[in-house]
Amino acid sequence: MVRVPGTLLAVFVGMLAVLFGASPAQAHNVLTGSDPADGAELAQAPETVRLTFLASLNQEQTELSVTGPDGAAASTGAPVVDGKAVSVPFRPGPAGEYTVDYNVLSTDGHWVKGTLAFTLTVGVEPTADSSPTGAPSPTAAEPTPEVTRAPTPQATSSTESTPWWPWLVGAVVLLVAVAAGAFFVRRRST
């Protein structure tokens, strides 16, 4: 019969605890990607802002908003949930950094909130109707050429963030298991 050293057995048990003991932590939802990607610089505004999560979302328990560099809302309409993704229509404004705020409910009942940002390098000029006095601007009488919007290329998120804390918890559990195994092996040998 093959005898397994206690330390090796403790390492094996510790690895099993890391692999299977972290399952309850997966009840927390985690952002896995965004379009536009966090930190992206775009020359053309997207039509929507879309976030993807690790677990499915609930329409009533999902919040998503976009704020422009001027502090004005840049999202129009309510967020739309599609499985693990949520999107909101985007209304571009001035060039600058746009902030995306999200708040989703995890299956364990805890809210997960976060913020990411992207930069629009070319802004949209305000229309004549937005003058502070309400009077039309001098150029408002001139006919405006109709602008045809080119299709927006969909940026793919190449930075899918993986949470680091399960690895830290796993490493601590593994170290405790190895230390406990070594303690019991020493105690048994004396």
Side-chain angles (χ1 to χ4, degrees), residues 85-179:
V86 59
S87 61
V88 68
F90 178 70
R91 179 182 56 221
E97 185 176 83
Y98 285 79
T99 304
V100 180
D101 292 304
Y102 63 89
N103 196 9
V104 300
L105 187 65
S106 295
T107 55
D108 66 355
H110 291 102
W111 286 91
V112 176
K113 60 185 348 182
T115 301
L116 54 105
F118 64 91
T119 302
L120 193 57
T121 59
V122 178
V124 174
E125 295 299 319
T127 61
D129 297 338
S130 64
S131 66
T133 62
S137 66
T139 59
E142 298 173 12
T144 328
E146 190 173 318
V147 178
T148 305
R149 191 172 196 178
T152 304
Q154 297 297 322
T156 57
S157 175
S158 61
T159 58
E160 295 198 4
S161 68
T162 304
W164 57 268
W165 60 268
W167 293 102
L168 179 65
V169 170
V172 169
V173 168
L174 182 61
L175 288 173
V176 168
V178 168

